Amino acid sequence: MSELLLTLLLGIMQAGLYTLVGLGLTITFGVTHILNFAHGEFVTIGAFALIGFSTMVGTAAAIPLALLVAVALGALVYLLGFVFTIGNHLQGLAFSLGLLLFTENIFLELFSSIPRNGPRVDGTLALLGGEQIAWSRVVVIITTAALVTVAAIALKRTWVGLALRATGDDRFAASTLGLSAKRVGLYAFLVAAVLAAVAGMCIASVSPVTPAIGVSYLLTGFVVAIIGGLGSPEGVLMAALLLGIVEALTSRYIDPSMTSVYTYSLMVVVLLALPQGLFNRKVVRAG
Amino acid sequence: MRATALRRSGIALLLGVGLVAIASAVPDNRVLLMNTFLAYGALVLSLDLMVGDLNLLPAGHAAFFGAGGYASVVLNQEAGWPLPLAGGVAIVACALVAAVIGFPVVGRTAGMSFAVVTFAIGELMVQIISKSPELLGGTQGLTVTWGVGDEMPFGFSIYRYYSLWLVAVFVMVMLSVVWVRSSHLGLRLTAIRDDENAARGLGFNPVVYKTLIFAIASGLAAAVGVMWAPMVGYIGPDSMGTTESIFLLSLLIVGGLRSVGGALAGVLLLMVAPLYFELEPTVRIAMVGGALAIIALVEPRGIAGLARRATDRLPVLRRAA
């Protein structure tokens, strides 16, 4: 019983991280119709900024500094690059692919591929029935759950959230109401950068990180965004929960080395059955 | 139409003759570079059949390259078939497997969901290989024993001997691309790319053509793998992952879609030149990325687009063309 609870909690932790990455992808795609391959690099930036700043100024000050770096870089790549590619799928895709290859290898040169550890919350929490879960994982679960809730409410209730959804639903209609796609695109990139950077910081506080985490979380983020239906935030959450829990259960109860085989097979089956994703109302085709 | 196809095939064959001459004349330390150009050129051109002609974005092209290599090596070493037979069977088998897998995939998905399904299939192939250490060598990969210590024809080294085979594959890929593009099949592909429903209305089924092109392109990628594995004497799962497929896509986009010259220029500039100057892999790939990002902003049609702009500026060249 307790073993199942622990497995589910670990699955939910992974699902939370996938949701944060996938949400950013789906929001930027919904607004700008750019599939941002460089999105995963914000995860790397968040993780390494946290590690770097926490050795310099302590963890408490490192978190806002890391977020600031991610936001600044997000604004920079959008204003210098992506803003010119709005309206041309292939151009946006090519620019982000280039950015991905460039930044990933720059980070490899800067930080090397030796795994590093971020700041940890010490101690473990006893679950019902004797299993132990590390406090840092509990903190990650709470952080991601809170952030996903905040993001969901913000998308429904705040002005920026309404602007993002309106532009995602119909860019032309939104532009007649004074929401320029270029400006709303900037909001989308900033929100996405913050969500991904928080995911990166969470990852750094539970496991060793290398510059390659960006790409691996980018791929999972794509998977949940596309299985959920591109442009649909609720789809991302459902797909991430599905993926995270399937991963956790198969690695605990069947065979840890076969986890990726199950998840990739699940992806193929879901997409062949529902090519537009779980929650997509309209046909979205990029490319 | 036929005249164009014949003229272009003639150019491709002439280029092939030239490449054979170069392959037998390059100095020993540059043969591997030449082979890299031929292999990546053939892979990128075969990828362009899907990306340029059908707007399909596969994220698993390198997986079929690896599958071809593995299939021929296993047939040769485990089943004891002679290498040419093993290679031929491997190419045909990979094309058939691609057709069987591709039929439901192209029928059901398009755009990014196609990319994700092909990514998942490619990663599944990598996983299958990593999980079967006895037959396929697991994550360590397989060492190819064929030709080690044997005399090669014409007294060539094994690298130089395989240059000839790679030239053959390269010419085969170019001929396929030429014949697909300047034939009735090419017109149908253009129709499908531009408006799938209208193509359906004209009475041909897009799924059949997409499956056909997916199978041809994957078979050609497998052919490159068949020649590559015994040349370097090793095949491993790391050469067929998603990163490699994405890298191939980047080379293609930098070069320019639907342009043989552009694609080859992309390979020369971003794959061969950095290897020639012996840059570190991370620096090399970072350079590819930077070039791709800049080209995407300046000229979305890639090197081919830049060349077209240049010829438009120069009246002398325009008159000649």
Side-chain angles (χ1 to χ4, degrees), chain B residues 165-248:
Chain B
W165 282 107
L166 280 167
V167 169
V169 170
F170 185 80
V171 170
M172 189 169 81
V173 172
M174 276 206 295
L175 288 179
S176 315
V177 171
V178 163
W179 278 97
V180 165
R181 292 229 171 111
S182 42
S183 68
H184 210 263
L185 177 63
L187 288 179
R188 291 181 184 205
L189 296 181
T190 309
I192 291 168
R193 191 185 53 146
D194 289 347
D195 192 334
E196 207 169 313
N197 286 327
R200 237 178 250 279
L202 292 173
F204 43 91
N205 185 354
V207 178
V208 174
Y209 290 93
K210 286 183 179 177
T211 312
L212 181 68
I213 293 299
F214 189 70
I216 292 178
S218 305
L220 291 175
V224 179
V226 166
M227 300 308 168
W228 184 261
M231 193 267 295
V232 291
Y234 164 80
I235 178 114
D238 48 337
S239 61
M240 57 190 284
T242 313
T243 337
E244 195 65 26
S245 302
I246 292 182
F247 184 69
L248 288 176

Side-chain angles (χ1 to χ4, degrees), chain A residues 10 23 30 42 47 104 131 138 175 191 214-215 236 268:
Chain A
L10 292 181
L23 267 182
F42 289 120
E104 195 200 359
E131 294 270 351
V138 179
S175 74
V191 170
V215 178
V236 169
V268 174

Side-chain angles (χ1 to χ4, degrees), chain A residues 1-220:
Chain A
M1 184 56 215
S2 154
E3 192 184 316
L4 179 68
L5 182 65
L6 179 67
T7 312
L8 286 179
L9 279 178
L10 292 181
I12 288 170
M13 185 189 88
Q14 279 300 319
L17 298 175
Y18 296 160
T19 313
L20 291 184
V21 181
L23 267 182
L25 280 170
T26 221
I27 290 173
T28 42
F29 180 81
V31 173
T32 60
H33 282 221
I34 295 167
L35 261 174
N36 185 5
F37 272 84
H39 183 64
E41 299 312 309
F42 289 120
V43 178
T44 320
I45 290 168
F48 279 88
L50 179 70
I51 294 173
F53 286 129
S54 66
T55 52
M56 279 190 276
V57 293
T59 312
I63 294 172
L65 278 176
L67 278 179
L68 203 65
V69 170
V71 166
L73 288 174
L76 192 73
V77 291
Y78 181 74
L79 293 175
L80 290 184
F82 285 109
V83 73
F84 303 110
T85 70
I86 287 182
N88 184 339
H89 297 314
L90 193 67
Q91 200 183 0
L93 191 81
F95 179 71
S96 71
L97 263 178
L99 209 58
L100 162 74
L101 294 176
F102 182 71
T103 45
E104 195 200 359
N105 287 285
I106 292 289
F107 288 147
L108 269 175
E109 281 288 298
L110 285 180
F111 305 123
S112 81
S113 54
I114 304 161
R116 292 168 190 231
N117 282 308
R120 292 283 143 91
V121 183
D122 292 326
T124 58
L125 172 71
L127 296 173
L128 294 170
E131 294 270 351
Q132 304 275 322
I133 182 166
W135 262 110
S136 52
R137 291 174 192 265
V138 179
V139 171
V140 167
I141 293 175
I142 294 170
T143 313
T144 52
L147 197 59
V148 168
T149 317
V150 169
I153 294 172
L155 273 178
K156 292 272 184 247
R157 291 272 180 262
T158 64
W159 189 84
V160 172
L162 286 175
L164 290 175
R165 283 197 298 142
T167 314
D169 279 351
D170 191 329
R171 203 184 326 164
F172 178 69
S175 74
T176 63
L177 300 173
L179 291 172
S180 106
K182 293 192 171 169
R183 190 156 48 88
V184 183
L186 178 62
Y187 304 152
F189 266 83
L190 295 183
V191 170
V194 168
L195 293 177
V198 172
M201 291 193 247
C202 289
I203 297 163
S205 66
V206 291
S207 55
V209 290
T210 69
I213 54 161
V215 178
S216 73
Y217 273 84
L218 169 82
L219 293 175
T220 345

